[in-house]
Amino acid sequence: MTKVPYEVYTEEVGTLSVLSPDGKIVNKDLLPELSDDQLKEIMYRMVFTRTWDDRAVNLGRQGRLGFYAPVSGQEATMVGSEFALEKDDFVCPGYRDMPQIVWHGLPLYQAFLYSRGHQHGGQIPEGVNVLMPQIIIGAQILHAMGIAMGYKLKKQKQVVITYTGDGGSSEGDFYEGLNYAGVYKLPVIFFVQNNGYAITTPFSKQTAALSIAHKAVAAGIKGVKVDGMDVLAVIKAVRDAAERGRNGEGATLIEAVTYRFRPHSLSDDATKYRTKEEEGEWNEKDPIARLAKYLESKGLWTEEDTARVKEEAKAKVNEQIKKAEQTEKMTVPGLIDSMFEQTPKHLEEQKADFQ
């Protein structure tokens, strides 16, 4: 067996990039094949997602949502990664990854119900291949392993994508998932959205590795580092990873270097650990502005289009939160009934007590 020198593992991993911050193509060879209509749809979804995020933050502060994790700044990683998949692929999200499962088919009002803690928020419609967001950090990675193994055993040409943040890459479940996928060459994509902080802990204090992508080496899988503020680069990386999975070539770890403009949660104060200078530098890499400049240069998008989508998104969010608020309130008997096809006797007795 050939011994690989240690120096191989200390080399920098290049960052895959297609668009510059001013919207110009910097690597034509990596430009994903997309029609004009697809490019406009991607832009639509990114603008819609940020507008939805703006409204959701306000709804949370009004007490009309429960837990909500902001996403503004991460639209390229979320919209781009889901867009690169097929509808019969499976999505296993973390608690911040609501946009991916909504764009994959979960009705928006159910996303709001989930945030409000309502049981029907997790009642996934038939044919929508998603799990609900996992609150336990890293647990969704193990769920993805099971689904991917099922696809492999059934010889189905589907892939699974699972998401976590840079903090999640420090969890034991993360390493177990990578190792298992490497051993069995599973059709799974580990997508890490590295925004530089695990709540308040900077990335430099989370790992001694040069990047999260380096961690693929020990698992024997492919590792890729991508500019997470560049939606076209994200699509390219995920498409390539999905193709590898479908062809039986195993798993891929993708590290998307991104930056969330809002705090970790509505109870977090990011000003205590992030500087205005840092935020200003990342604002110049805004994924929506970047794609808009590219589409404007191709005559595919205008500021009027952005304004129109914002209004559509506001109307849709208002309609869907109203639908969520009008959903019949939860009851303990109703919750018990939703758990089993045939309710066990001891739970029927508990139901009777509540009724």
Side-chain angles (χ1 to χ4, degrees):
M1 185 175 179
T2 304
K3 190 173 181 180
V4 181
Y6 177 74
E7 286 72 24
V8 169
Y9 306 122
T10 60
E11 291 178 357
E12 289 283 355
V13 173
T15 302
L16 190 156
S17 186
V18 175
L19 281 179
S20 67
D22 59 358
K24 291 183 171 58
I25 299 296
V26 294
N27 198 331
K28 193 173 182 180
D29 293 339
L30 296 179
L31 183 65
E33 187 175 328
L34 295 162
S35 68
D36 288 349
D37 285 344
Q38 287 177 313
L39 286 168
K40 288 190 286 187
E41 176 64 19
I42 293 162
M43 185 65 184
Y44 177 93
R45 293 185 184 190
M46 290 174 69
V47 174
F48 188 108
T49 299
R50 182 165 298 181
T51 307
W52 157 21
D53 187 58
D54 290 341
R55 185 75 178 110
V57 168
N58 290 332
L59 289 169
R61 288 172 176 157
Q62 293 167 15
R64 296 172 69 187
L65 287 181
F67 175 77
Y68 179 74
V71 303
S72 288
Q74 295 186 211
E75 294 88 356
T77 61
M78 294 174 162
V79 171
S81 60
E82 191 284 327
F83 195 87
L85 302 173
E86 302 294 334
K87 282 301 177 186
D88 62 352
D89 292 329
F90 218 102
V91 180
C92 296
Y95 55 77
R96 197 179 306 279
D97 303 306
M98 195 62 80
Q100 295 96 305
I101 62 175
V102 167
W103 291 119
H104 211 60
L106 184 78
L108 183 56
Y109 84 94
Q110 285 191 251
F112 291 143
L113 282 176
Y114 173 84
S115 179
R116 291 163 65 89
H118 197 291
Q119 70 201 64
H120 293 311
Q123 192 173 13
I124 301 166
E126 190 71 29
V128 177
N129 285 355
V130 305
L131 295 182
M132 294 310 295
Q134 178 55 249
I135 298 297
I136 302 170
I137 298 173
Q140 65 275 16
I141 294 167
L142 303 185
H143 301 160
M145 294 305 95
I147 297 169
M149 179 58 91
Y151 285 158
K152 184 179 179 69
L153 292 174
K154 292 180 178 180
K155 296 181 170 55
Q156 294 175 223
K157 295 289 186 180
Q158 290 159 270
V159 299
V160 185
I161 190 168
T162 183
Y163 298 89
T164 192
D166 44 304
S169 72
S170 298
E171 295 289 326
D173 288 352
F174 176 79
Y175 293 98
E176 290 170 13
L178 261 64
N179 186 63
Y180 189 87
V183 170
Y184 292 103
K185 297 191 75 171
L186 297 184
V188 64
I189 303 166
F190 302 96
F191 195 99
V192 180
Q193 299 173 91
N194 181 359
N195 83 312
Y197 294 91
I199 309 184
T200 61
T201 304
F203 183 66
S204 61
K205 291 187 177 181
Q206 293 179 59
T207 179
L210 293 177
S211 73
I212 293 170
H214 277 82
K215 299 186 179 188
V217 175
I221 66 175
K222 186 173 180 62
V224 178
K225 188 176 180 182
V226 62
D227 181 348
M229 307 298 267
D230 177 355
V231 70
L232 299 186
V234 170
I235 290 171
K236 169 64 176 172
V238 176
R239 276 187 175 177
D240 287 352
E243 184 178 2
R244 283 174 48 77
R246 293 188 217 285
N247 292 339
E249 297 172 33
T252 303
L253 169 61
I254 298 175
E255 175 188 6
V257 182
T258 184
Y259 195 82
R260 189 175 58 254
F261 297 145
R262 285 200 164 100
H264 174 79
S265 68
L266 301 186
S267 60
D268 177 37
D269 181 3
T271 63
K272 292 182 178 180
Y273 55 90
R274 300 195 318 197
T275 66
K276 288 185 177 180
E277 291 75 20
E278 177 185 274
E279 291 177 353
E281 289 175 8
W282 281 98
N283 276 325
E284 294 178 4
K285 302 174 183 178
D286 188 318
I288 293 179
R290 184 182 295 199
L291 184 62
K293 290 171 185 174
Y294 175 62
L295 296 190
E296 286 166 5
S297 71
K298 293 171 64 69
L300 298 176
W301 199 262
T302 65
E303 290 183 5
E304 289 74 20
D305 290 319
T306 297
R308 170 182 55 80
V309 176
K310 285 182 177 179
E311 291 306 311
E312 287 182 18
K314 289 175 186 176
K316 182 72 171 179
V317 169
N318 288 340
E319 168 203 303
Q320 295 290 290
I321 188 64
K322 193 173 293 184
K323 185 173 181 178
E325 290 174 333
Q326 291 172 348
T327 300
E328 185 179 357
K329 293 187 182 301
M330 285 178 60
T331 65
V332 172
L335 178 61
I336 292 172
D337 284 338
S338 71
M339 295 295 290
F340 298 92
E341 183 175 356
Q342 186 172 351
T343 308
K345 183 180 177 181
H346 71 284
L347 289 181
E348 287 287 2
E349 293 171 354
Q350 290 184 34
K351 273 174 55 182
D353 290 340
F354 279 100
Q355 289 169 331

